[in-house]
Amino acid sequence: MKDLSHFYFDGIPKAEQPLITVAITCYNVEKYMARCIESVMAQTYSNLDILIIDDGSRDNTARICDYYMTQEKRLRVVHQSNQGPGTARNQAIALAKGEYIAFLDGDDYVESYIYEYMMSAILAAECKLAICDYYEDKEDRAIDIHPLTEDMRAGKVFLLGLDDMIASCIEESDVLPVRSMVWNKLYHRSLLVNKSFPNKLFYEDRRFTLEILGSAKKAVFVDTPLYHYIIDRKDSVKDQEGFFAIFSEWIPSCKSVRDYLVGIGRDDLAYTQDYLMYKRLLDFYTEAKLDKIGDKKKYLKDITSYTERCRDDFDKIYSCRIADPREKKRMQKFLEHRFIFDHFYIK
């Protein structure tokens, strides 16, 4: 990781701005859609191709998108039957006109200088990928736009190598929140050639992001929050995930990520991925045990069986760099003294 201490965000002249496609994917987000679109229309970066993929919304989302198309000449809207976020983003990649592409979810919004800031960082670092920090906002929080200050113009910007990017992504680092999400990144379109999201409802971006990081080899990280991610929307697709996706989508996603890491010779991070997976499986087990209705309890046997696979590589998994000794003890109790685990760890 290299600190680009010389970086200073002073904008890009309009004539020198590469075209950026901002790909907004949306489904049943009528409450948030106007806020999202207007945050893009207000950008200090003018050379934008604003592409909205409406993934078969059944509320007023489509009407809102169509209205803004009459108000903004840079904006295009495509309506399709509901096929999931992965397919919607693949459609966006296929239809993008820009040399660079950014993704934005319809229930989120962005700071007015996000794309100019990230593009400035890309040009300064001479790379093809920018990643930014982000805000985690609650649904009922008022719009929280931050004026660009002098300190922010001279904010911390880092050049990351491949090892830094992959490790930060897998370890879910708070110091360098690279993350697997696609929306805190700005991509040169060459990185997306022959890449596509799986046709999944959940976890569609985890393996995709790792492959992009692998292709990019390096990226510039802007340590300034520029994206507003809504974390608790009750009617979101993520909120509807439920336990049914554990075995159909989440575990296959974990396996796919693990296979990729082993394939690039990062067995150490593969065990880190295992650690995080088993940690979450114990949480699922606890939720299922406490379930009073039965919707989660019916998965208890399968969750238990899968979690017990941890025995095969226990020492390697709980020796990974981010392993918490308390989690190791928690898993040991689960594997060796189930009665004690159920009695003292489930509350």
Side-chain angles (χ1 to χ4, degrees):
M1 181 174 66
K2 179 181 178 182
D3 186 350
L4 301 182
S5 56
H6 67 281
F7 180 82
Y8 180 84
F9 171 46
D10 56 359
I12 306 173
K14 185 175 180 180
E16 299 175 17
Q17 295 179 355
L19 181 63
I20 298 175
T21 292
V22 180
I24 305 173
T25 51
C26 54
Y27 174 72
N28 288 355
V29 288
E30 62 180 5
K31 182 179 176 181
Y32 316 95
M33 199 68 226
R35 178 183 68 184
C36 176
I37 295 173
E38 289 178 8
S39 74
V40 178
M41 290 170 57
Q43 289 297 305
T44 60
Y45 195 94
S46 59
N47 195 18
L48 296 178
D49 164 40
I50 307 170
L51 173 62
I52 301 178
I53 307 295
D54 166 38
D55 191 34
S57 296
R58 294 172 292 176
D59 60 3
N60 288 314
T61 298
R63 293 187 184 90
I64 294 169
C65 294
D66 289 343
Y67 166 75
Y68 278 99
M69 190 166 53
T70 68
Q71 307 299 307
E72 172 58 74
K73 64 181 181 180
R74 298 174 298 176
L75 194 151
R76 298 181 286 149
V77 179
V78 175
H79 302 288
Q80 64 180 34
S81 60
N82 182 237
Q83 300 172 60
T87 302
R89 286 173 178 155
N90 289 335
Q91 176 79 316
I93 293 172
L95 297 176
K97 297 178 180 179
E99 181 182 353
Y100 291 83
I101 300 175
F103 297 98
L104 173 58
D105 288 347
D107 50 346
D108 299 333
Y109 65 101
V110 292
E111 295 287 342
S112 62
Y113 40 84
I114 178 174
Y115 301 119
E116 188 168 17
Y117 205 134
M118 294 179 80
M119 182 60 74
S120 296
I122 281 178
L123 297 176
E126 298 182 338
C127 61
K128 295 183 176 182
L129 177 66
I131 306 166
C132 71
D133 200 354
Y134 57 92
Y135 297 100
E136 290 188 343
D137 294 345
K138 292 189 175 181
E139 179 184 15
D140 57 0
R141 183 173 181 173
I143 295 176
D144 187 23
I145 294 297
H146 299 79
L148 188 62
T149 65
E150 190 65 18
D151 285 345
M152 292 165 68
R153 286 186 180 277
K156 292 182 179 180
V157 174
F158 303 98
L159 183 63
L160 307 181
L162 181 57
D163 287 343
D164 292 324
M165 292 191 293
I166 297 289
S168 297
C169 183
I170 295 300
E171 293 177 349
E172 300 179 356
S173 168
D174 291 327
V175 177
L176 285 174
V178 172
R179 299 293 192 268
S180 63
M181 299 88 74
V182 298
W183 38 252
N184 68 330
K185 301 171 178 69
L186 177 61
Y187 311 80
H188 190 275
R189 70 175 304 127
S190 63
L191 296 175
L192 303 176
V193 173
N194 298 323
K195 299 286 194 309
S196 62
F197 293 91
N199 185 20
K200 286 177 144 185
L201 192 58
F202 312 109
Y203 315 109
E204 78 287 347
D205 49 8
R206 299 188 70 216
R207 172 70 180 258
F208 177 91
T209 294
L210 286 175
E211 291 180 354
I212 294 296
L213 298 179
S215 296
K217 300 292 192 294
K218 62 180 181 178
V220 61
F221 178 79
V222 178
D223 194 19
T224 299
L226 302 173
Y227 188 102
H228 290 264
Y229 171 48
I230 309 304
I231 60 174
D232 64 342
R233 186 164 71 83
K234 299 300 184 291
D235 55 347
S236 68
V237 171
K238 187 69 176 173
D239 187 66
Q240 300 166 25
E241 174 188 327
F243 266 46
F244 80 90
I246 293 175
F247 295 96
S248 63
E249 301 206 9
W250 180 66
I251 287 179
S253 173
C254 291
K255 184 178 184 303
S256 179
V257 167
R258 191 185 205 288
D259 290 345
Y260 177 83
L261 294 169
V262 171
I264 63 171
R266 292 305 305 266
D267 291 39
D268 57 326
L269 292 178
Y271 288 119
T272 299
Q273 160 73 21
D274 290 344
Y275 167 75
L276 293 170
M277 181 186 72
Y278 285 114
K279 178 181 177 182
R280 185 71 183 109
L281 276 168
L282 281 185
D283 293 338
F284 285 137
Y285 174 86
T286 299
E287 288 182 55
K289 287 289 287 188
L290 293 173
D291 178 35
K292 304 296 184 183
I293 300 175
D295 290 346
K296 297 177 181 179
K297 195 175 290 291
K298 64 184 178 183
Y299 295 98
L300 188 59
K301 181 178 179 180
D302 289 335
I303 292 171
T304 301
S305 177
Y306 204 94
T307 305
E308 287 177 342
R309 297 185 187 185
C310 180
R311 298 178 190 274
D312 297 338
D313 291 304
F314 183 88
D315 290 337
K316 291 179 180 178
I317 292 169
Y318 287 90
S319 296
C320 75
R321 186 164 65 175
I322 67 168
D324 185 335
R326 292 170 297 182
E327 287 298 326
K328 180 178 182 179
K329 183 177 180 181
R330 184 179 175 218
M331 181 60 79
Q332 286 174 326
K333 283 291 185 288
F334 174 86
L335 295 175
E336 300 168 8
H337 305 286
R338 190 68 47 79
F339 175 79
I340 295 176
F341 181 90
D342 290 351
H343 235 69
F344 294 101
Y345 284 84
I346 295 180
K347 299 177 182 179

